[in-house]
Amino acid sequence: MRICAKAALAASLSLGLAACGGGAPATPKAADRKLDDLLVTTPAAQRDLDKATWNLPFGEPASLDPIKAFNYPENTVVANLCEGLTRLDPDYTVKPNLAEKVETKDQKTWVFTLRDDVRFWDGQPMTADDVVFSLRRHLDPKEGSYWASDQITGNMTSVEKTGDHEVTVTLKKPDATLNSYMATPIGVVVQRAQREKAGGKYGTPEGGVMCTGPYTFSAWQKGSSITMLRNDAYWDASRRARTKQVDLRFIVDPGAIASALETNAIDGSYDVPIDAVDRLSNSANGTLYLGKSLQLVAVISTGSGPLGDPAVRRALALATDREAIAATVFAGTAQVPRSLVPRGGWTYGDGVFGPAYDALPDTKKNLDEAKKLIAGADLGNATITVAYPSERQFYADILSEMSNAARELGLTIQPKGVPSAQYGAFFSDAKARAGYDGFMTTNYMDVPDPLAFLRTIAAEGGSQNFDGHSDPETQRLIEQAAGTLDETERAKIVAELQAKVTERMPWIPIVAPSVRLFLRKGITGVPASFVYLYYPWAADLGAA
């Protein structure tokens, strides 16, 4: 699972499914599901709604402060309240948002021309000073941004107001991904005055936030719900929210989620539990759809034990029947990826990335080839200890299948369940990973750019480079791609990088899950793709 690198957040993640309501055909049973044409959105809403109740299956947010939004609960809420300089739309394109124009000549100096008609919920205008303050929060250690990293914010040398409606960001090294990251909390704008007034209560039920989004923060009943109200003065009238009030619940038990959805106690949810797929597919009270995702389930190597050998990792991938895992553990709602980048996880260079992806090694089980790979490997004691969140049965099911494959290779996988409350430390604390050769993750791409994701895993000092790999050629490709203006040429470089990372396989990719979304009958409109962490999905929710 994806856990903030700066906070040991609860790691109790169940995976999710995608649905839409209103006259759409029933979702096929798991065995009949087709994953070649995943949805981007659901049919547009036709009428407004007075109220909707939505579920956050990963639990209650820890904070509504955008710079602390680095996981499913927080992002799913904040995306409707606060906005970035750019916007990631359901089709994964990046559009101007609070910045009406973005310019760069060398991908090292970025000039953002701000809209002059944006107002915060209290009616005060958004200013260049608010934008500078918001971006600089990531550079201030006292603010404790979970998004602070060497690769993005650590690459910024300055954030300056260069006009009444202009802000310029200067980087140490060119970075082609910066514009995309301005659609994430890195580029979110908050009101400076309210942030400073709220002090230590900022982002809490008492302190709240002050933003510009299509919904306003209304109330937070700890342990029960968060209420968002439509911002009727929203600056973009064409994108005004369709639902007046959205109440967000925090049901985490898979059985309880399925029952609440089936009985319409809640109107919808992303990430519905896997074991509820068939049950909800046949529900007469709503519809279940599969959407285009950016998620990946994988085993991460810590660099120790037999799993520290790339040949062993590749052998385990080949010996494991990942197609069976996708069909059974994930009820036919996932695909086996050839890369750590899920298919379609890009918004440029499709003519390059598509063929390059198809040219990567096949994913079908091949025990003979797997045995050849480790014929000369030093397996040591041949025992591989892998951690997983103990509350999530699907991880145990995956490791059971991998254990069978390992035995055929003369290896032993020893799964060890770790309570979710402690599991977050695996992503932030090397001491927590001590004694483990690997750990499970349900991870995701922040933005649909293979360069952005691969460098977190393979770059020196990358935020998810957990095996400490360092390779001059990999580093050269990362930096060359980041500084390449032409998208086709950049795609060629990133495709070469992808091939190198796939061969080394620092993470063993298991499956790429589809987005799973359920909507009760009579409501529709929300995106089905994996944009709900940064896109104001609730604003599109309405009556069918």
Side-chain angles (χ1 to χ4, degrees):
M1 65 198 54
R2 165 69 176 274
I3 300 296
C4 167
K6 298 283 185 174
L9 302 178
S12 54
L13 301 186
S14 66
L15 292 179
L17 219 97
C20 153
T27 303
K29 292 182 179 180
D32 301 324
R33 289 191 180 92
K34 305 299 182 185
L35 304 180
D36 294 333
D37 190 22
L38 295 170
L39 292 174
V40 169
T41 188
T42 59
Q46 301 301 309
R47 295 178 291 110
D48 287 3
L49 281 175
D50 286 332
K51 183 179 178 181
T53 302
W54 200 265
N55 189 51
L56 302 179
F58 301 140
E60 186 170 10
S63 171
L64 295 184
D65 181 350
I67 70 171
K68 305 292 177 65
F70 201 71
N71 209 352
Y72 289 84
E74 295 78 19
N75 285 109
T76 307
V77 182
V78 170
N80 297 287
L81 305 174
C82 305
E83 302 180 282
L85 294 177
T86 59
R87 184 182 76 243
L88 183 65
D89 275 357
D91 63 356
Y92 294 157
T93 57
V94 177
K95 302 283 181 59
N97 198 45
L98 298 181
E100 63 181 5
K101 185 169 66 172
V102 183
E103 297 175 289
T104 183
K105 294 181 180 179
D106 57 3
Q107 307 204 72
K108 191 173 180 180
T109 300
W110 292 79
V111 180
F112 297 88
T113 302
L114 309 176
R115 297 183 63 94
D116 61 5
D117 57 352
V118 179
R119 293 185 177 272
F120 291 104
W121 303 328
D122 63 359
Q124 294 299 309
M126 181 195 77
T127 68
D129 291 324
D130 290 308
V131 174
V132 170
F133 170 78
S134 299
L135 298 184
R136 285 181 178 175
R137 292 186 69 207
H138 299 285
L139 310 182
D140 183 356
K142 293 180 182 178
E143 289 279 14
S145 170
Y146 295 168
W147 285 86
S149 70
D150 290 342
Q151 291 160 334
I152 307 297
T153 62
N155 191 32
M156 297 179 181
T157 57
S158 67
V159 179
E160 303 293 340
K161 175 181 175 181
T162 49
D164 289 343
H165 300 288
E166 183 181 278
V167 170
T168 298
V169 177
T170 305
L171 307 179
K172 300 173 186 175
K173 298 183 293 185
D175 184 6
T177 71
L178 183 70
N179 192 47
S180 295
Y181 271 103
M182 287 299 165
T184 74
I186 289 178
V188 161
V189 179
V190 302
Q191 188 185 74
R192 177 176 184 172
Q194 191 264 344
R195 164 67 189 101
E196 293 177 340
K197 181 179 180 180
K201 293 183 178 180
Y202 190 67
T204 69
E206 299 77 24
V209 293
M210 179 61 63
C211 291
T212 64
Y215 279 96
T216 67
F217 169 69
S218 177
W220 184 351
Q221 302 296 325
K222 290 292 287 184
S224 176
S225 67
I226 290 174
T227 296
M228 306 186 301
L229 297 179
R230 182 170 66 198
N231 176 14
D232 288 326
Y234 185 55
W235 60 271
D236 188 347
S238 68
R239 298 175 56 242
R240 191 194 72 155
R242 303 299 303 263
T243 301
K244 293 180 182 178
Q245 177 177 327
V246 178
D247 291 335
L248 300 159
R249 308 292 185 186
F250 320 131
I251 305 172
V252 297
D253 178 75
I257 292 172
S259 294
L261 288 170
E262 199 168 32
T263 61
N264 293 158
I266 51 179
D267 296 315
S269 177
Y270 288 108
D271 301 297
V272 300
I274 295 170
D275 54 10
V277 167
D278 289 331
R279 176 179 172 184
L280 293 176
S281 293
N282 297 312
S283 173
N285 295 326
T287 312
L288 187 64
Y289 280 93
L290 301 181
K292 186 178 179 181
S293 182
L294 295 173
Q295 292 172 298
L296 176 75
V297 177
V299 178
I300 298 176
S301 168
T302 64
S304 65
L307 206 62
D309 186 337
V312 172
R313 298 195 292 266
R314 290 167 57 202
L316 274 173
L318 276 174
T320 301
D321 194 341
R322 292 176 286 170
E323 299 289 350
I325 291 173
T328 57
V329 177
F330 288 86
T333 66
Q335 297 170 301
V336 180
R338 291 175 180 259
S339 165
L340 294 181
V341 177
R343 179 179 289 278
W346 51 81
T347 53
Y348 64 94
D350 188 61
V352 174
F353 283 128
Y357 188 96
D358 292 337
L360 292 171
D362 190 73
T363 60
K364 288 184 173 59
K365 180 175 179 176
N366 189 332
L367 186 58
D368 291 338
E369 189 63 28
K371 289 179 177 179
K372 291 178 184 177
L373 278 172
I374 62 169
D378 181 8
L379 302 180
N381 63 11
T383 298
I384 298 169
T385 304
V386 181
Y388 70 97
S390 54
E391 293 87 348
R392 297 302 167 188
Q393 180 60 39
F394 71 88
Y395 284 127
D397 293 341
I398 291 170
L399 289 174
S400 176
E401 174 59 31
M402 292 191 73
S403 295
N404 293 335
R407 279 193 292 273
E408 295 185 275
L409 297 175
L411 297 165
T412 299
I413 289 182
Q414 182 177 331
K416 290 190 68 174
V418 176
S420 293
Q422 302 172 19
Y423 200 74
F426 278 79
F427 296 81
S428 59
D429 186 357
K431 292 180 181 178
R433 299 190 293 270
Y436 293 92
D437 303 311
F439 59 106
M440 297 292 308
T441 184
T442 297
N443 225 281
Y444 55 83
M445 300 171 68
D446 286 322
V447 294
D449 186 332
L451 171 61
F453 191 52
L454 290 172
R455 71 181 177 189
T456 70
I457 297 167
E460 296 175 11
S463 60
Q464 301 195 94
N465 183 351
F466 294 110
D467 69 347
H469 176 73
S470 177
D471 172 54
E473 178 61 14
T474 297
Q475 197 66 24
R476 183 191 68 79
L477 289 171
I478 289 171
E479 295 183 7
Q480 182 184 359
T484 301
L485 282 167
D486 183 84
E487 290 187 340
T488 300
E489 291 304 311
R490 188 162 79 247
K492 292 177 182 178
I493 300 166
V494 179
E496 186 179 349
L497 169 67
Q498 177 179 239
K500 286 185 66 67
V501 174
T502 300
E503 182 178 11
R504 192 174 68 82
M505 202 173 284
W507 299 8
I508 302 174
I510 306 300
V511 296
S514 305
V515 171
R516 300 185 297 271
L517 162 72
F518 186 86
L519 294 177
R520 72 162 173 83
K521 183 183 293 185
I523 67 171
T524 187
V526 297
S529 64
F530 192 68
V531 294
Y532 55 89
L533 299 186
Y534 309 129
Y535 176 85
W537 55 269
D540 295 343
L541 179 67

